[in-house]
Amino acid sequence: MAVPIAVLDCDLLLYGRGHRTLDRFKLEDVTDEYLVSTYGFPRQFIYYLVDLLGASLSRPTQRSRAISPETQILAALGFYTSGSFQTRMGDAIGISQASMSRCVANVTEALVERASQFIHFPEDEATVQNLKDDFYGLAGMPGVLGVVDCTHVAIKAPNAEDLSYVNRKGLHSLNCLMVCDARGVLLSAETHWPGSLPDCTVLQQAALTSQFETELHKDGWLLGDSSFFLRTWLMTPLHIPETPAEYRYNVAHSATHNIIERTFRTIRSRFRCLDGSKGTLQYSPEKSSHIILACCVLHNISLEHGLDVWSLPATGHMEQPEEEYEQMESMDSEACRIRQQLLLTHFS
């Protein structure tokens, strides 16, 4: 009697019981160069992730051959950094493509669960002052708590009726709102916004706005480009600078705000699943959002461990809709007063 293929373990079907897996493979048997070239990260970083995520990845299973946390993490890192479920990657760690997909899902959710641990604004006064000092050292812009911008990540079409994810270029995407510090560490990441929403609308509806208007520091501000409205806590460039002070302000603003663009490029360089060169993320918007957030968490952890992603070459393949916006000057008189005072005090 024929056995239904659906009931067979995918790894057993492809490889048999005797196939070597990473449950028997020792990380210390290979070089850091191999691990970096195949999985994007060195050995000690991978060990750290095993310690961090191991409990979440060791959930009880009915399967006779549960995949170890170490193997799951390597499978996920392989996907994040290559953007591919190619047989080559599965062969390298001894699991099937279907198991690769399960590993990516498990590791992604484990990282998302820890997002607030690694992506947050500083709270103590000394760290906040260091944040401002670091930004001031870049181009002389005072009081900066972070630079904010949006970036698009291409996803597959959710369904024919849902046009909310179609961006200005006619492509399906998520519009991701992020804030970083002067080193490129992410302080906020909201990765779930539909691609049809313009940047100003995303910010208006974002949790970030609620945080800054009700909770966060009143003695500093974020820097945003001209796609956003000027606010008391968000300084934007002047549309038509006329005085030397206004020119100096715009130059300092641009040089400082460029950090977020550089951060976007380097995240795409490390995590090729986001850069568009391998095609769109083949998941629902919700799962795609979680993958993006997981990569953001890994980005911050890598900086925490001294891995300089800015030394990586940028790929430039990520689809970025060109914003067609008018200069959006705020009618908020208090915001205008704050920017004018900044001009007089620091740039005149």
Side-chain angles (χ1 to χ4, degrees):
M1 182 178 67
V3 178
I5 294 296
V7 304
L8 296 179
D9 183 294
C10 292
D11 298 327
L12 177 60
L13 179 65
L14 290 176
Y15 300 119
R17 292 281 183 190
H19 186 78
R20 186 181 74 169
T21 73
L22 273 178
D23 293 320
R24 302 185 183 97
F25 180 82
K26 301 298 182 183
L27 284 177
E28 56 266 27
D29 291 340
V30 296
T31 65
D32 264 2
E33 289 76 10
Y34 170 78
L35 292 172
V36 171
S37 65
T38 307
Y39 307 107
F41 293 95
R43 183 183 351 268
Q44 291 306 315
F45 185 88
I46 296 170
Y47 282 147
Y48 172 82
L49 292 181
V50 172
D51 290 339
L52 178 70
L53 307 178
S56 297
L57 300 176
S58 300
R59 299 183 177 103
T61 176
Q62 298 297 318
R63 301 177 66 228
S64 59
R65 297 204 310 153
I67 301 175
S68 70
E70 183 177 276
T71 303
Q72 292 183 62
I73 287 168
L74 285 169
L77 292 179
F79 170 71
Y80 297 147
T81 58
S82 72
S84 174
F85 284 133
Q86 291 178 353
T87 303
R88 174 186 63 81
M89 185 63 67
D91 286 346
I93 57 178
I95 61 175
S96 68
Q97 181 173 319
S99 293
M100 280 278 296
S101 183
R102 290 195 297 272
C103 292
V104 170
N106 293 341
V107 174
T108 295
E109 292 310 304
L111 288 168
V112 168
E113 288 171 0
R114 292 161 177 78
S116 62
Q117 177 182 346
F118 295 98
I119 303 176
H120 56 82
F121 283 91
E123 296 180 356
D124 64 281
E125 292 185 8
T127 307
V128 170
Q129 188 57 51
N130 288 337
L131 184 64
K132 294 178 181 179
D133 292 344
D134 288 344
F135 275 118
Y136 188 79
L138 292 176
M141 181 69 78
V144 180
L145 299 169
V147 288
V148 58
D149 208 347
C150 289
T151 187
H152 286 252
V153 176
I155 63 171
K156 73 173 183 178
N159 57 63
E161 292 76 29
D162 190 352
L163 300 180
S164 65
Y165 292 92
V166 179
N167 60 41
R168 290 179 180 271
K169 288 189 173 181
L171 304 172
H172 290 81
S173 68
L174 290 168
N175 196 2
C176 306
L177 178 73
M178 301 188 193
V179 180
C180 74
D181 70 9
R183 297 192 304 121
V185 175
L186 295 173
L187 306 175
S188 177
E190 299 184 36
T191 60
H192 62 282
W193 297 102
S196 66
L197 294 180
D199 294 358
C200 62
T201 303
V202 169
L203 181 60
Q204 183 178 357
Q205 299 178 7
L208 178 69
T209 293
S210 176
Q211 285 181 311
F212 266 82
E213 291 185 346
T214 62
E215 302 173 19
L216 290 182
H217 317 280
K218 305 299 182 182
D219 57 345
W221 38 74
L222 302 179
L223 296 188
D225 64 20
S226 297
S227 63
F228 301 117
F229 286 108
L230 178 71
R231 300 168 184 257
T232 57
W233 50 268
L234 178 64
M235 294 293 103
T236 60
L238 290 135
H239 181 38
I240 304 177
E242 296 177 347
T243 68
E246 290 175 346
Y247 276 103
R248 285 192 287 269
Y249 167 86
N250 271 12
V251 168
H253 187 292
S254 177
T256 307
H257 187 266
N258 184 59
I259 295 296
I260 189 69
E261 297 298 335
R262 191 179 179 188
T263 299
F264 288 156
R265 290 194 299 269
T266 54
I267 289 174
R268 295 194 295 270
S269 296
R270 168 152 277 165
F271 303 107
R272 300 297 179 90
C273 67
L274 307 181
D275 74 6
S277 65
K278 299 293 184 180
T280 61
L281 283 175
Q282 296 298 302
Y283 296 92
S284 68
E286 180 182 7
K287 290 184 178 180
S288 295
S289 171
H290 285 186
I291 288 173
I292 300 166
L293 185 55
C295 291
C296 290
V297 173
L298 288 172
H299 167 77
N300 275 11
I301 296 175
S302 67
L303 289 179
E304 188 178 285
H305 283 73
L307 302 180
D308 182 10
V309 295
W310 282 0
S311 66
L312 297 173
T315 61
H317 289 293
M318 188 177 186
E319 291 293 346
Q320 282 282 65
E322 296 178 5
E323 291 290 341
E324 299 174 3
Y325 53 78
E326 297 180 359
Q327 178 74 19
M328 290 191 281
E329 285 294 342
S330 175
M331 299 304 292
D332 185 339
S333 60
E334 179 63 13
C336 293
R337 185 196 65 78
I338 290 174
R339 186 170 65 179
Q340 189 61 31
Q341 184 63 36
L342 181 59
L343 283 163
L344 292 173
T345 304
H346 293 279
F347 296 97
S348 295

